[in-house]
Amino acid sequence: MELNGSQILMECLLEQGVDTVFGYPGGSVLNIYDELYKYREKIHHILTAHEQGAAHAADGYARATGKVGVCLATSGPGATNLVTGIATAYMDSVPMVAITGNVGRPLLGKDSFQEVDITGVTMPITKHNYIVKDICKLADTIREAFYIAQSGRPGPVLIDIPKDITAITCEYMPSMPKKVFRQVCSIRQKDLDEAVKLIRDSSKPMIYCGGGIIRSSAHKELLEFAERIQAPVATSLMGIGGFPETHRLSTGLIGMHGSKASNMATTECDVLIAVGARFSDRVTSSVNTFASNAKIIHIDVDPAEISKNVKCYTSIIGDAKEILTNLNEMIVQQDHTEWLENVRGWKEEFRFDYQRDDKLRPEFVIEDIYEQTNGEAIITTEVGQHQMWAAQFYKYTMPRTYISSGGLGTMGYGTGASIGAQMGMPTKQVVHIAGDGSFRMNCNELATISYYNIPVIIVVLNNSVLGMVRQWQTMFYEGRYSETTLDRGPDFVKLAEAYYMKGYDVFTQEEFQQAFKEALESKKPVVINCHVGEDEKVLPMVAPGAPINDLILE
């Protein structure tokens, strides 16, 4: 059948199972938005307040559901406003397709109004990108983009479509989506055998779980693997939820703000099995001392990650779920009672804790959210101290329940991500934990949350400072608080009310408990502004460049 480019785009989105698109219209995508109007019963479009919010919403949707997130923007500034969101998804391996309009083909390269070379701009932060200059190639390009976004190590793909391509016609043939198979051809038996031998000969094995566990849906296989080899399990920020934190083998977060048990066990282990992790500097700190007593087995889908940051002893390339399935079949039950007793001692010696008194402290807020949601909420965060407290004090037992910008560390990420997560998982309660600095960067998305009545509960840990930067200034810059005091508006409760939302100002533990209880019961969007101390610290902490077993505890 003969269809124009905009119709082809709609049909291809439906082919790929897309039900939600986050975006913002403009001149170069008018034809696409005209077609979206006609397809509104099949594809739900969420109009965000800003294109960056659309990108973050698509990212949050993808992380919460495991499906491909889709965002749409016009040319020029519309396209460049997606860049931070695309980079965020790229750093954290999130499957996303960003669709941008561009000026018509005759105007390309002439500095035309609202023209930008968005494929050139995004080349370093996408798995692949396209500019479609032939209408006959549009459908196959869209299909290929979705396949690339999901296959291997997931990531964002951008499709740039000139405006005239969205209007002209060609023959369209429907097609079923190409099945995405797990990457298994690179899994070599000799690599599996070598890993099994190292694990069998180990007396102090340790597992380091990264975001690849969640991307490959390998959490059940990891649990079986850990129990089979009787090894403690530490998680990176991106790996949170990949292993249940209530399990006796869990040691929690690893790295700069990790637990003493995770950091000590990694330092003392004789074999470290890293699964779907990239050895970020926030995990390793001093590369020369990281796991220096261990032979490192690195399991990853991306061969480029092997020995990139930390040199490994051996590696297995391929899908984590398939690799762990193979290892579980090959390994007999291990017993490391003495080693686990040592680790348990570290867990008892220092737990994530805080001064328990009558003050409203950030850690109390996170713990109470955990209690009132029975540990079943999806938590989204911004970036900063609140992000770390949310990682430390909420006990995650399932994947895709902690959604945060890890690699890029994007302040302004979380409110958009909470929109996407809630739209993708409407039966779950999404709680967005923000700092006042980050929330100022994206509070315009309250317009989106309010208009669509998205029942996100936004909890702002408001300390009137840029908390994490201030913490560094206190500890490493002799208290020179250069431009980190946020002694200015807005009044977040009045701001919520301006968007027709309920807002709470809370100063005490009792006030927070009551406000959060009412928010849960209301099933409506709510902002809770928690007034906490400006000098609260995220502890433990490893100083930059120090060994991870050298923890600052107070």
Side-chain angles (χ1 to χ4, degrees):
M1 54 183 155
E2 191 89 3
L3 298 179
N4 66 37
S6 299
Q7 293 170 322
I8 290 171
L9 174 59
M10 296 301 113
E11 291 296 328
C12 287
L13 291 177
L14 292 175
E15 280 179 11
Q16 298 295 326
V18 174
D19 53 22
T20 306
V21 173
F22 305 90
Y24 203 95
S28 292
V29 288
L30 274 173
N31 295 329
I32 294 173
Y33 270 87
D34 189 55
E35 212 58 49
L36 265 172
Y37 181 85
K38 301 170 188 174
Y39 278 72
R40 64 189 182 277
E41 299 299 323
K42 298 178 180 179
I43 298 174
H44 189 197
H45 180 273
I46 301 296
L47 175 64
T48 55
H50 190 283
E51 290 92 350
Q52 183 169 306
H56 292 326
D59 176 302
Y61 178 94
R63 295 196 205 213
T65 64
K67 299 191 290 186
V68 179
V70 181
C71 56
L72 173 61
T74 193
S75 62
T80 57
N81 281 343
L82 296 178
V83 168
T84 299
I86 294 170
T88 301
Y90 182 74
M91 288 289 282
D92 291 344
S93 304
V94 177
M96 186 168 85
V97 171
I99 301 164
T100 55
N102 213 327
V103 298
R105 287 173 296 173
L107 296 174
L108 288 170
K110 297 181 179 179
D111 293 333
S112 304
F113 177 68
Q114 289 194 333
E115 180 197 0
V116 75
D117 176 13
I118 195 61
T119 56
V121 169
T122 59
M123 188 176 293
I125 54 168
T126 52
K127 277 188 76 176
H128 196 57
N129 64 24
Y130 308 83
I131 180 167
V132 183
K133 296 182 179 180
D134 182 349
I135 181 65
C136 297
K137 296 180 180 178
L138 178 59
D140 286 342
T141 298
I142 296 166
R143 293 161 182 155
E144 186 173 272
F146 274 85
Y147 179 80
I148 290 173
Q150 300 170 81
S151 61
R153 181 179 183 171
V157 179
L158 180 133
I159 310 168
D160 193 37
I161 310 174
K163 186 172 183 179
D164 56 328
I165 292 291
T166 66
I168 59 178
T169 64
C170 77
E171 188 67 20
Y172 164 77
M173 291 292 292
S175 176
M176 292 292 290
K178 183 179 178 182
K179 186 172 177 59
V180 179
F181 291 99
R182 295 186 178 277
Q183 187 172 317
V184 297
C185 61
S186 56
I187 302 174
R188 302 189 305 180
Q189 187 61 45
K190 71 173 187 175
D191 295 336
L192 293 168
D193 291 340
E194 185 171 14
V196 169
K197 183 179 186 306
L198 287 171
I199 293 167
R200 187 180 63 231
D201 295 342
S202 168
S203 60
K204 296 186 289 185
M206 179 74 184
I207 298 169
Y208 160 32
C209 161
I213 286 292
I214 294 168
R215 301 291 175 263
S216 68
S217 300
H219 53 287
K220 292 180 180 177
E221 288 75 15
L222 177 65
L223 178 59
E224 180 184 345
F225 180 65
E227 290 178 337
R228 188 174 291 272
I229 71 170
Q230 287 293 287
V233 182
T235 58
S236 70
L237 200 69
M238 289 294 93
I240 288 176
F243 191 82
E245 294 182 353
T246 52
H247 194 282
R248 65 183 182 87
L249 292 175
S250 172
T251 58
L253 194 65
I254 184 175
M256 178 174 281
H257 294 292
S259 71
K260 182 167 185 176
S262 290
N263 289 7
M264 290 297 295
T266 301
T267 303
E268 297 295 326
C269 70
D270 58 10
V271 168
L272 178 67
I273 306 125
V275 190
R278 60 185 180 85
F279 295 93
S280 159
D281 59 291
R282 282 297 191 265
V283 168
T284 63
S285 190
S286 168
V287 172
N288 293 331
T289 59
F290 181 79
S292 57
N293 297 312
K295 293 178 178 177
I296 297 176
I297 303 169
H298 194 175
I299 297 170
D300 206 281
V301 75
D302 185 356
E305 289 297 337
I306 305 302
S307 294
K308 184 179 81 175
N309 295 329
V310 172
K311 187 169 179 58
C312 66
Y313 185 85
T314 189
S315 63
I316 311 172
I317 308 298
D319 181 81
K321 188 182 183 79
E322 296 299 320
I323 291 170
L324 290 174
T325 298
N326 287 330
L327 290 176
N328 286 334
E329 292 171 354
M330 297 170 66
I331 294 173
V332 297
Q333 183 66 46
Q334 307 285 299
D335 181 8
H336 298 116
T337 302
E338 184 178 348
W339 168 234
L340 292 178
E341 278 299 305
N342 288 342
V343 175
R344 188 178 68 82
W346 289 320
K347 289 172 70 172
E348 292 295 329
E349 182 183 348
F350 186 89
R351 297 176 178 274
F352 290 128
D353 208 350
Y354 59 99
Q355 186 174 341
R356 296 179 185 273
D357 50 26
D358 293 334
K359 292 182 179 179
L360 181 64
R361 297 193 182 275
E363 302 93 336
F364 171 85
V365 170
I366 306 300
E367 285 186 337
D368 192 66
I369 291 170
Y370 175 76
E371 293 296 330
Q372 292 205 46
T373 59
N374 300 312
E376 296 176 353
I378 294 174
I379 303 296
T380 63
T381 80
E382 302 291 346
V383 170
Q385 286 180 313
H386 65 278
Q387 177 190 31
M388 296 297 110
W389 286 315
Q392 292 175 338
F393 288 92
Y394 196 100
K395 297 180 180 66
Y396 302 87
T397 58
M398 292 297 293
R400 305 191 183 282
T401 53
Y402 178 79
I403 295 174
S404 189
S405 171
L408 198 64
T410 306
M411 291 178 68
Y413 164 79
T415 304
S418 72
I419 292 170
Q422 190 71 81
M423 296 302 296
M425 303 295 288
T427 62
K428 302 284 282 186
Q429 177 64 62
V430 175
V431 179
H432 177 45
I433 299 170
D436 51 312
S438 290
F439 190 51
R440 280 180 175 84
M441 294 187 176
N442 58 28
C443 56
N444 54 343
E445 293 303 339
L446 290 179
T448 311
I449 291 171
S450 174
Y451 178 80
Y452 294 100
N453 196 31
I454 302 169
V456 173
I457 300 173
I458 299 174
V459 178
V460 183
L461 298 179
N462 188 349
N463 54 9
S464 299
V465 294
L466 285 174
M468 187 61 85
V469 185
R470 181 183 174 90
Q471 178 168 329
W472 279 54
Q473 288 173 333
T474 300
M475 300 173 79
F476 309 119
Y477 292 86
E478 300 176 345
R480 293 185 292 275
Y481 301 120
S482 177
E483 303 302 327
T484 50
T485 301
L486 303 179
D487 51 353
R488 60 209 70 183
D491 180 322
F492 291 130
V493 171
K494 289 182 179 178
L495 184 67
E497 291 169 351
Y499 286 109
Y500 313 108
M501 292 169 56
K502 177 70 174 175
Y504 295 86
D505 259 325
V506 299
F507 298 86
T508 68
Q509 296 178 8
E510 293 76 16
E511 287 174 347
F512 176 77
Q513 289 173 316
Q514 183 60 33
F516 193 76
K517 180 175 182 289
E518 291 178 13
L520 281 174
E521 292 171 349
S522 74
K523 305 297 182 184
K524 293 180 179 179
V526 169
V527 174
I528 304 177
N529 186 31
C530 303
H531 296 269
V532 298
E534 65 180 12
D535 281 316
E536 299 281 359
K537 300 289 189 294
V538 176
L539 295 172
M541 181 178 182
V542 177
I548 63 167
N549 62 331
D550 184 8
L551 293 125
I552 300 169
L553 300 177
E554 58 181 324

